[in-house]
Amino acid sequence: IALCQKDRRFLAALPFRGWRYRWLRLNYKMMQARPDASLRRVDRRDGLLMDVDNADVIDFTLYWFGVWEPVISLFLARHLRPGDSAVDFGANIGAHTITMARAVGPEGRVLAVEPGPEAYGRLTANLALNGLIQVECQPVAAGAEDGVVPLYRSQDFTRGRASIAAEAAAGGRVE
């Protein structure tokens, strides 16, 4: 976490917006080239913790800015109340799931649905890291019919771009 905070201070200290953008692009390309060195723990703006893989764009954004999709996160935090129920389809590593779980509190319930095996493992680990026991995770795809479908990984292996449409992703598949 200290490294994350140090990196964020460095980025904020760069004098020009263009330099910040270039630094982030260079750093992201380096992380994609060295995925073995990209796993890190971050503190989010809301004080919760997550383990992220900086080779993935969602995780990279969480690392550098402490939030993913800030408008959606703010909406969830403002509109979910203690005791509410919520569902996160395509939960990925849990960026929104964790926000929902905090908002509904221990008396609420969140159902997180994530079919990707790697993302599902990271989702459950991030929930455990924050002690969020009000979340039920399901390692399945949601659909109108029962059955088994292939999940195709994106060509750049970004977890958030996985799809059941073969033409939309070409980086391998899991059932």
Side-chain angles (χ1 to χ4, degrees):
I1 295 173
L3 179 62
C4 173
Q5 293 168 344
K6 180 182 171 191
D7 284 346
R8 287 179 188 165
R9 284 193 300 273
F10 170 79
L11 182 66
L14 290 174
F16 302 107
R17 175 181 276 163
W19 288 4
R20 292 182 198 131
Y21 176 74
R22 286 185 187 126
W23 170 254
L24 288 171
R25 282 189 56 192
L26 174 66
N27 199 282
Y28 183 60
K29 287 181 185 281
M30 288 176 12
M31 287 298 148
Q32 287 183 311
R34 301 178 6 200
D36 58 318
S38 62
L39 295 173
R40 301 207 175 128
R41 180 161 292 166
V42 301
D43 59 327
R44 295 174 12 149
R45 282 188 193 170
D46 58 11
L48 295 168
L49 301 174
M50 291 186 78
D51 286 333
V52 298
D53 172 3
N54 276 343
D56 186 277
V57 69
I58 295 171
D59 301 37
F60 185 83
T61 304
L62 282 162
Y63 181 83
W64 285 100
F65 300 104
V67 65
W68 171 249
E69 297 180 327
V71 173
I72 293 173
S73 296
L74 184 61
F75 177 85
L76 293 170
R78 286 188 176 170
H79 292 283
L80 289 173
R81 300 280 178 245
D84 282 353
S85 294
V87 179
D88 189 359
F89 289 105
N92 203 317
I93 65 167
H96 295 315
T97 306
I98 289 173
T99 302
M100 291 177 186
R102 175 178 259 183
V104 303
E107 59 277 353
R109 182 174 174 184
V110 176
L111 173 63
V113 178
E114 174 51 53
E118 180 189 349
Y120 180 80
R122 301 267 309 290
L123 166 66
T124 56
N126 284 327
L127 292 168
L129 182 62
N130 291 285
L132 299 170
I133 59 171
Q134 65 271 41
V135 180
E136 177 187 343
C137 298
Q138 293 292 323
V140 297
E145 302 171 8
D146 288 340
V148 177
V149 295
L151 178 68
Y152 297 95
R153 297 182 75 180
S154 69
Q155 196 163 6
D156 65 359
F157 296 102
T158 300
R159 286 183 313 276
R161 293 186 188 138
S163 174
I164 61 170
E167 62 276 0
R173 72 182 239 176
V174 295
E175 295 295 319

